[in-house]
Amino acid sequence: MSKNINYIKRESWGSSFGFIMAAAGSAVGLGNIWKFPYVAGENGGAVFLFIYLICALLLGFTVMLSEHALGRYSQKNAVGTFKEIAPGKKWWLIGAIGVLASFIILSFYSVVAGWTLAYVFKSLTGSLSGIPLTEYSSFFTSFISNPLEPIFWQSLFMVLTIFIVTLGIQSGIEKWSKVLMPALFAILILIIVRSLTLEGAMDGVKFFLSPDFSKINSKVILSALGQAFFSLSLGVGAMITYGSYLNKESHIPSDAFKIIILGVLVAVLAGLAIFPAVFATGMSPDGGPGLIFMILPAVFSKMPFGNFFEIIFFILLSIAALTSAISLLEVLVAFIKDKFNWSRKKATLISGFCAFIWGVPSSLSQGIWNKITFTLPGQDPMIFFDVMDFFTSNILMPIGGICVCVFTAYIWKTKNATWELSNQGKYTFAWLGFWSFLVKYIAPLVIFLVLLQGLGIL
Ligand code: PHE
């Protein structure tokens, strides 16, 4: 009997700690640890960090509150939420954009996540040591351009992701996040201690923490905002979906605040782990997307106990990627399960497999298909991988973010959203008025500017 009731009842988080770990796990990912340091490195270091923090705390928080409130109110998947609140209207398309974006992000995200798994293996077997310093770049390029090896690692990563998501919310996503996230923090702290105790580390800390405000320009501001958005998993329905598993007693504003703080903290800690090591070994901080795969192994090879730290660093990165990929897959699974009435297992296996297949050209475009390029209006020719990244990060995510704000503010109405956020008036937050102002006017406008910049118009 009780089994039956469980079966029809919608799944939910077991505890607020579990929800925070899962949502912070979604936020903390390759975006914080792989992308943040190199984008910061290219955009003046500390200034970028400073603006990123403001964007995450003000705008990221605004959108995250909206997404959690929408999800918890409707108790539906990303598409169902909009149908529930605005029945018979086309607003569900916002959710559909999110589902599409999650699918595409998962497809290329799993490629990079596969590289991190491969690097765990390569550092374990010692094949990353003994390479001349200048050869790390070509080692990485020849690995990612190999047609089969990266696809093998990508598929392994997808198997892990699918495995956890098939187990469901409490016994899969929540249970694993509760173990993996604290592990990630512990590893990160260990690496920071190592990095900060290297001779010459302080130059890296300075680069990362003391801002030179003369370096601020519109590109830095808008990249910081785009980065805040991606790294907090906003605009793709992930936070709506996770919010929909919240029970009515949960305290959305304080949970969301903790999630933002954790997300931001990991980005800052990742910078503190990476820049001091890069500076101490005389490398350059603006190494681009290869910073982690090409420069760090070189840094580790020069460091006492470098191999040990290298292994745990790539484990850390794989964990971060895994908990984010899980949330991307859950957006698809929640939608498909409800829409087609499929079991969780069937929905997970099929959507995960499709995302993997769609990711294969992204992987191949790093090597044998790198001559096939696509030229979008106003952009340089791009390989398939970059097209997928560009389309989601620069187009779908900002559109999703703007639409969430507009929908919350003008369709659902901030009055109703505030009612949900305050647990039907049970709690009062003086600043919910400020939140309403941000969600109505500031957030949509600023995200619109990011969209224009991402499209190369600004
Ligand atoms: N926030 C994740 C990261 O920083 C990426 C992500 C985006 C995950 C959107 C889920 C949804 O890597």
Side-chain angles (χ1 to χ4, degrees):
M1 177 70 187
S2 79
K3 236 192 173 153
N4 257 336
I5 293 174
N6 276 339
Y7 182 68
I8 29 177
K9 220 178 104 193
R10 189 178 165 76
E11 292 178 277
S12 67
W13 304 108
S15 66
S16 126
F17 176 70
F19 165 65
I20 294 171
M21 287 299 107
S26 164
V28 171
L30 296 169
N32 305 55
I33 304 174
W34 167 61
K35 212 166 174 191
F36 179 81
Y38 84 75
V39 180
E42 288 171 340
N43 285 290
V47 206
F48 181 87
L49 170 65
F50 181 75
I51 302 170
Y52 168 80
L53 291 180
I54 298 180
C55 293
L57 292 174
L58 275 182
L59 301 172
F61 189 48
T62 303
V63 180
M64 189 173 290
L65 278 188
S66 310
E67 292 204 12
H68 285 168
L70 285 166
R72 189 183 66 173
Y73 173 80
S74 71
Q75 301 279 303
K76 297 256 155 38
N77 64 70
V79 174
T81 292
F82 295 94
K83 285 195 172 160
E84 170 89 15
I85 297 177
K89 302 269 166 49
K90 290 269 179 289
W91 289 101
W92 59 266
L93 282 168
I94 305 176
I97 292 178
V99 172
L100 177 68
S102 297
F103 176 79
I104 300 175
I105 296 177
L106 182 58
S107 76
F108 70 83
Y109 201 86
S110 60
V111 173
V112 182
W115 301 346
T116 69
L117 275 188
Y119 267 57
V120 172
F121 180 75
K122 287 177 194 297
S123 40
L124 271 173
T125 54
S127 52
L128 283 177
S129 37
I131 302 178
L133 280 189
T134 48
E135 299 290 306
Y136 279 99
S137 308
S138 47
F139 181 88
F140 175 63
T141 356
S142 84
F143 161 61
I144 61 170
S145 56
N146 182 310
L148 286 181
E149 203 191 338
I151 294 179
F152 164 76
W153 291 106
Q154 178 202 355
S155 67
L156 191 65
F157 179 80
M158 281 309 294
V159 168
L160 285 174
T161 310
I162 290 172
F163 167 71
I164 296 179
V165 176
T166 44
L167 297 176
I169 297 301
Q170 267 187 39
S171 29
I173 301 179
E174 180 170 354
K175 197 165 132 198
W176 281 82
S177 304
K178 282 195 326 206
V179 178
L180 293 176
M181 288 307 286
L184 179 142
F185 266 94
I187 297 179
L188 198 51
I189 302 287
L190 197 66
I191 293 183
I192 292 176
V193 172
R194 167 70 284 189
S195 182
L196 288 179
T197 47
L198 290 169
E199 209 176 311
M202 278 309 134
D203 290 339
V205 176
K206 246 212 221 119
F207 171 78
F208 188 53
L209 293 184
S210 67
D212 171 358
F213 288 103
S214 66
K215 291 215 174 110
I216 294 194
N217 56 38
S218 68
K219 181 179 162 264
V220 173
I221 298 181
L222 296 174
S223 333
L225 213 142
Q227 174 63 22
F229 231 69
F230 184 84
S231 78
L232 294 171
S233 308
L234 299 171
V236 303
M239 289 298 164
I240 297 181
T241 307
Y242 273 16
S244 76
Y245 302 122
L246 281 171
N247 64 47
K248 291 288 176 190
E249 279 72 54
S250 58
H251 206 311
I252 298 181
S254 79
D255 287 357
F257 186 68
K258 288 177 196 145
I259 295 161
I260 301 263
I261 295 294
L262 287 174
V264 165
L265 188 68
V266 172
V268 174
L269 292 179
L272 275 183
I274 290 163
F275 290 117
V278 168
F279 273 77
T281 40
M283 303 272 179
S284 158
D286 51 3
L291 182 66
I292 281 201
F293 294 102
M294 301 187 204
I295 304 210
L296 277 192
V299 169
F300 285 125
S301 75
K302 286 199 194 175
M303 210 186 244
F305 305 109
N307 187 244
F308 168 73
F309 287 99
E310 182 170 66
I311 296 169
I312 60 169
F313 177 79
F314 285 109
I315 292 180
L316 161 92
L317 205 56
S318 307
I319 293 177
L322 184 61
T323 49
S324 298
I326 287 172
S327 70
L328 289 163
L329 184 55
E330 181 59 29
V331 174
L332 310 178
V333 170
F335 166 66
I336 293 175
K337 228 165 77 78
D338 294 351
K339 171 92 192 157
F340 303 108
N341 235 335
W342 286 0
S343 68
R344 167 170 285 278
K345 206 165 168 191
K346 182 171 169 196
T348 313
L349 281 174
I350 295 185
S351 54
F353 182 72
C354 293
F356 163 70
I357 295 295
W358 190 253
V360 167
S362 284
S363 183
L364 294 177
S365 71
Q366 304 287 347
I368 52 171
W369 286 2
N370 67 3
K371 295 282 171 308
I372 309 174
T373 55
F374 304 83
T375 312
L376 303 177
Q379 304 295 325
D380 292 335
M382 288 183 242
I383 57 168
F384 190 81
F385 182 104
D386 293 342
V387 176
M388 295 299 112
D389 183 11
F390 182 87
F391 184 54
T392 47
S393 308
N394 294 11
I395 302 178
L396 294 184
M397 285 184 103
I399 291 182
I402 297 171
C403 291
V404 162
C405 292
V406 169
F407 183 84
T408 307
Y410 302 103
I411 307 298
W412 192 26
K413 304 260 188 299
T414 44
K415 188 170 62 77
N416 296 319
T418 323
W419 188 241
E420 181 66 29
L421 285 170
S422 64
N423 291 9
Q424 288 70 41
K426 211 150 120 213
Y427 304 104
T428 44
F429 298 102
W431 48 264
L432 277 182
F434 181 53
W435 171 80
S436 306
F437 171 73
L438 289 175
V439 79
K440 272 188 188 148
Y441 309 109
I442 307 295
L445 186 76
V446 179
I447 305 167
F448 184 62
L449 294 178
V450 179
L451 176 66
L452 293 184
Q453 191 245 7
L455 293 175
I457 300 172
L458 250 190

